[in-house]
Amino acid sequence: MKIAISSDHGGNNLRQEIMQLLEELGLSYEDFGPKSNDSVDFPDFAMPVAEGVANGSFDRGILICGTGIGMSIAANKVKGIRCALVHDVFSAKATRNHNDSNIIAMGERVIGAGLAREIVSTWLAQDFEGGRHLRRVEKITEIENA
Ligand code: RB5
């Protein structure tokens, strides 16, 4: 599984934690920054991850900002992206099983690193269940293509 990850300045610390987790899990990832704690605009950092997942260069993406909200809004503007803003383990599982989410967004100012690690581990391990959920995902795609 190839993973793309980025944050803005508000998510820098949690991004480091999650990259550490990915290394512990033996998963390969590409870090799209930022490289410093300078203030940046989150859409600039959401786009390489969202476009990389949408064009198939990566299987999954992880986006982190202060709240996760800006990153998720920006990522979901890219065709083919189903970015889920998640701050609990139940939703991390459900959004893979039911929504086939291909990007997860989290807020460093919302949850601690321990919970974020549990969320990401759960999200990466879960599969899409298909069936009635596939019909619903396809309806989202139809809206996107309209
Ligand atoms: C940056 O201050 C903050 O607005 C950003 O990290 C994010 O929370 C936006 O949704």
Side-chain angles (χ1 to χ4, degrees):
M1 183 188 292
K2 287 188 294 179
I3 300 166
I5 186 168
S6 73
S7 72
D8 70 356
H9 53 286
N12 247 340
N13 294 327
L14 185 55
R15 190 177 96 254
Q16 305 304 323
E17 285 277 352
I18 298 304
M19 290 193 295
Q20 175 64 40
L21 170 68
L22 297 177
E23 279 166 29
E24 290 166 17
L25 293 173
L27 295 170
S28 74
Y29 65 90
E30 187 163 339
D31 176 23
F32 287 90
K35 294 191 189 316
S36 80
N37 286 321
D38 294 347
S39 181
V40 295
D41 297 334
F42 60 79
D44 298 336
F45 289 84
M47 281 310 101
V49 170
E51 286 168 355
V53 172
N55 70 24
S57 299
F58 298 95
D59 302 301
R60 305 272 191 94
I62 301 172
L63 295 172
I64 305 167
C65 62
T67 60
I69 297 170
M71 281 294 208
S72 62
I73 292 172
N76 278 315
K77 298 296 180 191
V78 175
K79 201 169 179 175
I81 292 306
R82 291 178 299 279
C83 176
L85 173 62
V86 174
H87 289 128
D88 67 277
V89 175
F90 176 85
S91 300
K93 179 175 185 297
T95 192
R96 282 292 308 134
N97 297 163
H98 294 186
N99 312 130
D100 198 18
S101 55
N102 46 18
I103 298 184
I104 192 170
M106 297 179 294
E108 180 183 316
R109 297 171 187 160
V110 182
I111 53 172
L115 176 54
R117 289 170 66 102
E118 286 291 316
I119 286 168
V120 171
S121 300
T122 300
W123 185 74
L124 290 172
Q126 292 292 317
D127 292 322
F128 181 47
E129 288 178 359
R132 68 188 187 282
H133 304 297
L134 175 60
R135 184 177 70 243
R136 293 158 187 168
V137 169
E138 285 173 343
K139 287 188 177 186
I140 294 172
T141 305
E142 281 171 26
I143 294 167
E144 202 171 47
N145 290 334

